[in-house]
Each structure stands twice: as structure tokens, then as C-alpha cells.
Amino acid sequence: MSGLHRAALPALGAAILFGASTPFAKQLLGEGQSPSLPFLLAGLLYLGSGLGLALIRLIRDRGWKPSGIARQEWPWLLGAITFGGVLGPLLLMVGLSHTTASTASLFLNLESVLTAVLAWLVFRESTDRRIVLGMALIVLGGAVLAWPSGEAVVSGIGPLALAGACLAWAIDNNLTRKVSASDALFIAGSKGMVAGCVNTGLGFALGASWPALPLLSSALLIGFFGYGLSLVLFVLALRELGTARTGAYFSTAPFVGAAIAIAVFGEYTSTAFWIATGLMSVGVWLHLTERHAHEHTHEELSHRHAHHHDEHHQHLHDVEWDGVEPHTHDHLHTKLKHKHAHFPDVHHRHSHS
């Protein structure tokens, strides 16, 4: 199981970066903001992501290189950009403007639930009772948070917008899994550039003006870490864990955001908040302690991604190889039947009888 634990590290890193960004993004909204500000900030957050990742990719590749994404994968990527890069952050900023940051942070746990439901019902990813029970507890915690109290929620539009953001990102997560074997920097960077331009343009169309330099630089910086680097790590985790399990690890993100909102910004917390925290904590623990092992068959598969020569990559090379790993090239997996602990990664997308 040590390999699986290492595979979970990118998902947890993504969770920490994104979770920390929520309360800081909330501070950018301030009080009495114009209706166009959430649109503008949503765009700036993703522009920070896109510009930063594009620069890193240029430095890494010593210039601009093709993405390497296959033609049939482009519709999946464009769909992910639309839902996760345009609709998701926009609904998040609307939700943040009508809730406290701590409550919004925990409420965003619903993303992992909706991600898993879509993965199971639509994309036929495997699951078990332990994961389902964990998701049920997270849903229950979200219901507690959404219950009208007058303390943590300013208006009903807040939870509704946050739920919409969670659904948009859930669709995005499942679509991104389809291209997760490709360059993570390109996937995350292209989403940032497109989504950033669309939402920033929408903000200006609604009457927004360029913000002051401190707010602009803060939004770009938060977006680079909380949306850009976080998404790169999330894509890497999708390769190894599958959609539902990556979402489960990522569901630790709201606790990071809630802790910062309370400890750093001194936000008030209600009894409902702590009840929801307990329910969601147990749900997340069930996810993090899951073990999935059974005899399974790998059908013949040809694809391209960065890999080491492990038990799933026992192939010869048609071209000269310098022995450096990981390395990337087109390779063929022959049919293989064996048993070991695994998650539904790019090599374990088999059905369960």
C-alpha cells in the first residue's frame, strides 16, 4: 500500500492549497462590493493560475511545445474548462459574498460527494460501502451547514451558489480524468487562461474597473497557488487514484480553509458549524483509510504518459533509451491478470462484478 499512500500526496497537497485560498479570497471581496466584483475576482484568480503555469511550462520546456493531447481528448478538456474554469469560480465568488468563509469552506465538501456520484453513476467508476458511508456523512454535514439559522448564512443564495460551484467542479473533475494522463501543466494552465479571460471580460462588461494594485496582485497570487498549482497536483492525483478517491482526499480542503478563517481572521462559529465539522471529519476519515484489493484483469491497452518500469510497465523500447525514469513514450500493455491493492487509476478502470 506504500505506493498508494505516495499517490495520495498530490491530492492532499492540492487540498491544502485550494483550502487555504478560500478564506483569503473571501477577504478580497470586502464589504459593500459592487455586483461585478465577484465576476472580476473569479477571472483574476484563474488568470493568476494561467499566467503562472504558462511561465513555468515555458521554463521547463525551454520554449513553447505542443500539448500532446490527442484529438479525441480535446472535447473533454474544453468541457472541463467550461464547467470548472468558468462556472465554478464564478459561483464560488457569488457564494462567498453571501456566507462566512468558514461556513463556505466546509460547505465545499459537497464537491467530493457530487464528484463521486457522477463518477459512479455516469462514468461507472468502482466504489464500495465504506466510501458511500463517508459520502453520506459529508452530505449530512453539508445539510447542517445549509440549514437557515441567521448566524452563519446571510441569505439563501449563498448555499445555493456554493452548491452550484460544487456541481460545476464535480463535472470538471470527471471530465479532467479523461485527459489526466496528459501534461498536467498544460491542462491546468489552459484552464486558467481561458477561464480567466472569460470571467475577467464578463466582470468588465458588467461595469467593473481595474482594481488597485494590492488587490490585483493578491488575487493573481492566490489564484496561482490555490487554483493553478492546486489543479496541477489534482490532475496528477487523478492519474493514480481515480476521480472519486481523489475527490475524497481533496475533501480535506474545506477543513484547511475553515481553520484559517477561524484562527487567522477570527470568524464566528455556530453550534451547527461544529456538528457539521464532526460529521464531515468522520466521512473524510472513512475515505482516507479505505483499502481496495481484489483479483482483476488488465485488458490490452496502448497509451502515452510518464511512467516508471513497474509491474504494470514491463515493455521493451523501440528507440534508444538512456535509462532515466520517469519517461514518456507510446507503450502497449498486454493482457494481465493479478491481485493487489489499487485505486481506479489510468491502469485500473475495470468493471466489478
Side-chain angles (χ1 to χ4, degrees), residues 312-323:
H312 295 102
H313 295 90
Q314 299 296 325
H315 51 254
L316 300 176
H317 292 77
D318 297 330
V319 296
E320 186 176 349
W321 174 45
D322 59 8

Side-chain angles (χ1 to χ4, degrees), residues 181-342:
S182 300
D183 184 3
L185 274 177
F186 178 81
I187 293 172
S190 60
K191 179 183 295 184
M193 292 298 289
V194 174
C197 291
V198 170
N199 278 315
T200 302
L202 185 57
F204 286 135
L206 293 175
S209 56
W210 276 109
L213 182 59
L215 192 151
L216 174 62
S217 57
S218 296
L220 294 176
L221 187 63
I222 293 171
F224 172 67
F225 286 101
Y227 287 68
L229 292 183
S230 175
L231 181 55
V232 170
L233 294 173
F234 191 89
V235 172
L236 295 176
L238 283 174
R239 295 178 187 173
E240 306 297 331
L241 303 177
T243 311
R245 272 75 174 182
T246 298
Y249 283 93
F250 192 73
S251 63
T252 57
F255 296 99
V256 176
I260 292 176
I262 295 168
V264 177
F265 300 113
E267 286 197 352
Y268 168 80
T269 56
S270 64
T271 301
F273 173 87
W274 292 111
I275 293 175
T277 297
L279 291 169
M280 290 181 170
S281 296
V282 175
V284 170
W285 175 80
L286 289 172
H287 294 159
L288 299 180
T289 54
E290 179 211 10
R291 188 177 190 276
H292 181 78
H294 63 90
E295 188 174 67
H296 55 278
T297 300
H298 296 266
E299 299 297 337
E300 186 174 285
L301 171 67
S302 178
H303 62 177
R304 178 187 179 94
H305 65 91
H307 61 277
H308 293 81
H309 280 193
D310 54 21
E311 61 180 320
H312 295 102
H313 295 90
Q314 299 296 325
H315 51 254
L316 300 176
H317 292 77
D318 297 330
V319 296
E320 186 176 349
W321 174 45
D322 59 8
V324 176
E325 293 184 328
H327 61 296
T328 303
H329 61 88
D330 292 315
H331 56 277
L332 175 68
H333 295 269
T334 58
K335 190 171 183 178
L336 172 67
K337 187 175 184 179
H338 60 176
K339 179 179 180 178
H340 63 91
H342 63 278

Side-chain angles (χ1 to χ4, degrees), residues 169-188:
W169 278 320
I171 296 173
D172 166 29
N173 294 338
N174 280 278
L175 296 180
T176 300
R177 185 201 185 203
K178 296 287 188 178
V179 297
S180 60
S182 300
D183 184 3
L185 274 177
F186 178 81
I187 293 172

